[in-house]
Amino acid sequence: MAPRRAGGAVGVTDAAQGPFPDADYLILSSRLIPDLDGGYTIATLARAGQMAERGARVQLLTVDPADAEAHAAHRAEFAARGALRPDTPLRNLFDEAVAPDGGAAEWVRAAAASAPTPGAQADEHRVLTDAAGRPFVSLPVIRGNPDWHLSTAAVRVHGPEGDAIGELPGFGALYRAWLEHVVARLTGPVVVVCESRQLGELLAGWGSERVRLLHTIHTIHLEPPFTPDAPLNPLWTRWFAIADRFDAVLWPTRAQRDDVVARFDGSGRHLVVPNGVPMPDAAADDAAREAGLVVSLSRLAPGKRIDHGIRAFLAADVPGAVLEIWGDGPERERLEGLIRERSAADRVRLMGATTDPDAVLRRASVLLSSSAFEGQGLSIVEALRVGCPVIAYDIRYGPGDILRDGGGVLVPDGDERALAEALHAVLTDAGLRARLSGEARPAASAWSADAAMTALAAAVRAALSAPPRR
């Protein structure tokens, strides 16, 4: 099938503009670790930074049980990369669950003492210790169960002498106790922005009159073939049953929001709030682009279908063209084998990960995206904002929404021949390439940090103006 050029208009916000309401904002993530979880980590940190830049009082909260030294190293690395503002705390539950004199902190002990029922007994526990080697909590080890977070297996709480002095019935009880401790030290309204499905499930029944819980979405909810009526991803089936308990659910694209509302009863508050991408102060110098340079920028994972991109690039057969594949992941060895099999090492290069995508995209003539699915498609917006045209499969979700304002070419999902034809056309037609590049920056503006924060502030105002849903 022949490629179709993107065109038309799409908006990303459903409400009027305005600043963030006066409240404390807690951005809750299961973990935030450099170079882990791909675009999720980048988007979560970016949201916090963009909110803080616009005057919101923001704290980042995580619940991964690494030690304090590891968490300090994560903070330092994010700060060095400019991903964490110095005025935005990045706090961790287990860093704060330790009493200075040993054992669990007072808020953990108090939660265990007031727990209505004891936890079930687990066969195995992971004992967490402080810097002096003293235990403070022991976490149940639950193997082979994707729903481990829902278990009520006992979290043991230790006293100053290391002895177990109480229990909490599962991870959910521990997480909620920490949030209650954090919220109790704040005054006025509190907005919790939950970035993780697992945490959202545990918090759907938690809250108070002054707390509003907003749940962001980062990925697709469907299984293959990714049509609107396709089977739900099993991890999301239970979540949809409780989606109406959140004060707002924030979808990154209009297409995904609309598919969800059409399929389900729509009783929840479903809003479109993209992951915002900062726009450059000045346009990229198009003279710096390398003729024939095609770039792929993503994790090397099966769902990204980098092999499609390699085969399409080689089939396009443009003299002098080079494909740089930026990213790392489990598919690297297989892709190396494909490149060897095609004797293409001089034309297709695995570059490894980059912490400076702009530098890569400013050199590129084209960004190539061959994913099977996306949540939003961060790299596509990053390319458009520096004037780099995009060629992408028309998949759920992201490319179709982003490229409707121009800046790229969409081809039918999985059609490698169409992908190759589009690559050949854009790489060999300077006029087409210049036109797409000119459309790229205006198209990216709909996904800017300003547009995203306008939509998020509107979602917060709507949630605060209504009674809590829990």
Side-chain angles (χ1 to χ4, degrees):
M1 297 179 66
R4 67 180 178 86
R5 188 162 160 265
V10 62
V12 297
T13 180
D14 297 314
Q17 298 185 12
F20 281 95
D22 185 19
D24 284 284
Y25 295 85
L26 306 177
I27 298 184
L28 179 63
S29 174
S30 51
R31 63 188 181 189
L32 290 170
I33 299 174
D35 303 319
L36 195 64
D37 302 319
Y40 169 88
T41 299
I42 295 169
T44 299
L45 288 166
R47 195 187 327 273
Q50 291 161 13
M51 292 173 68
E53 286 172 3
R54 289 156 180 81
R57 296 190 301 275
V58 177
Q59 300 183 58
L60 284 154
L61 308 181
T62 62
V63 298
D64 69 289
D67 59 35
E69 184 178 0
H71 291 138
H74 299 160
R75 294 183 193 99
E77 180 61 24
F78 285 136
R81 296 181 184 183
L84 180 65
R85 289 168 55 100
D87 59 355
T88 301
L90 174 51
R91 302 169 61 178
N92 176 266
L93 183 159
F94 295 99
D95 291 353
E96 300 185 7
V98 183
D101 58 348
E106 181 56 37
W107 63 265
V108 186
R109 300 183 200 180
S114 62
T117 58
Q121 294 306 306
D123 295 330
E124 184 181 353
H125 281 79
R126 175 186 173 188
V127 180
L128 302 187
T129 58
D130 64 15
R134 300 171 298 197
F136 58 97
V137 296
S138 295
L139 304 178
V141 177
I142 303 165
R143 302 187 187 279
N145 183 356
D147 296 330
W148 60 268
H149 59 293
L150 299 176
S151 170
T152 57
V155 174
R156 294 175 182 166
V157 178
H158 297 270
E161 304 303 320
D163 53 323
I165 60 171
E167 294 178 350
L168 285 165
F171 293 93
L174 178 61
Y175 299 165
R176 290 188 293 269
W178 185 45
L179 276 175
E180 288 168 3
H181 167 72
V182 173
V183 169
R185 280 149 184 77
L186 302 172
T187 59
V190 177
V191 177
V192 178
V193 180
C194 182
E195 304 275 4
S196 164
R197 174 194 57 80
Q198 290 176 331
L199 294 176
E201 287 187 77
L202 295 172
L203 299 179
W206 170 83
S208 71
E209 182 62 33
R210 65 191 184 97
V211 173
R212 297 296 183 274
L213 180 59
L214 279 57
H215 199 304
T216 65
I217 306 298
H218 288 266
T219 189
I220 194 169
H221 61 284
L222 301 167
E223 290 284 270
F226 307 118
T227 54
D229 58 350
L232 289 180
N233 183 306
L235 298 177
W236 285 95
T237 302
R238 185 175 50 246
W239 182 91
F240 274 102
I242 59 171
D244 61 351
R245 300 186 194 175
F246 304 115
D247 297 297
V249 179
L250 312 181
W251 300 91
T253 66
R254 185 177 296 278
Q256 189 174 17
R257 191 277 306 271
D258 290 352
D259 281 355
V260 166
V261 171
R263 180 168 179 174
F264 299 96
D265 63 12
S267 60
R269 182 180 287 122
H270 297 278
L271 303 175
V272 181
V273 178
N275 297 308
V277 177
M279 296 294 112
D281 293 332
D285 180 5
D286 288 337
R289 298 202 182 279
E290 298 178 19
L293 177 58
V294 179
V295 163
S296 169
L297 193 64
S298 70
R299 188 165 183 266
L300 307 186
K304 300 299 183 180
R305 297 190 298 195
I306 306 298
D307 56 330
H308 284 226
I310 292 173
R311 289 191 293 266
F313 170 79
L314 295 175
D317 196 24
V318 177
V322 172
L323 172 60
E324 291 185 354
I325 300 169
W326 291 86
D328 272 320
E331 288 278 278
R332 185 180 183 92
E333 185 175 345
R334 191 173 76 86
L335 296 174
E336 288 173 339
L338 175 60
I339 293 167
R340 285 195 302 270
E341 175 188 316
R342 298 298 182 98
S343 301
D346 59 332
R347 292 171 289 165
V348 181
R349 302 165 186 168
L350 295 176
M351 308 298 292
T354 179
T355 58
D356 191 358
D358 273 9
V360 173
L361 292 166
R362 287 176 186 275
R363 295 171 42 238
S365 292
V366 176
L367 173 76
L368 177 62
S369 176
S370 50
S371 290
F373 58 88
E374 289 286 353
Q376 176 176 315
L378 177 63
S379 64
I380 294 177
V381 181
E382 289 176 329
L384 296 180
R385 73 177 176 179
V386 296
C388 177
V390 175
I391 298 172
Y393 280 147
D394 192 2
I395 56 165
R396 285 179 169 81
Y397 290 97
D401 296 75
I402 297 168
L403 295 176
R404 284 196 185 98
D405 279 347
V409 176
L410 293 169
V411 303
D413 180 26
D415 189 337
E416 292 182 23
R417 180 177 177 180
L419 205 62
E421 291 173 353
L423 274 168
H424 189 276
V426 174
L427 289 175
T428 59
D429 186 335
L432 171 60
R433 196 165 60 251
R435 185 165 67 251
L436 294 175
S437 182
E439 295 169 352
R441 296 180 189 92
S445 65
W447 306 86
S448 68
D450 285 343
M453 291 300 101
T454 294
L456 180 55
V460 171
R461 287 195 299 274
L464 289 174
S465 67
R469 287 177 168 254
R470 288 164 310 291

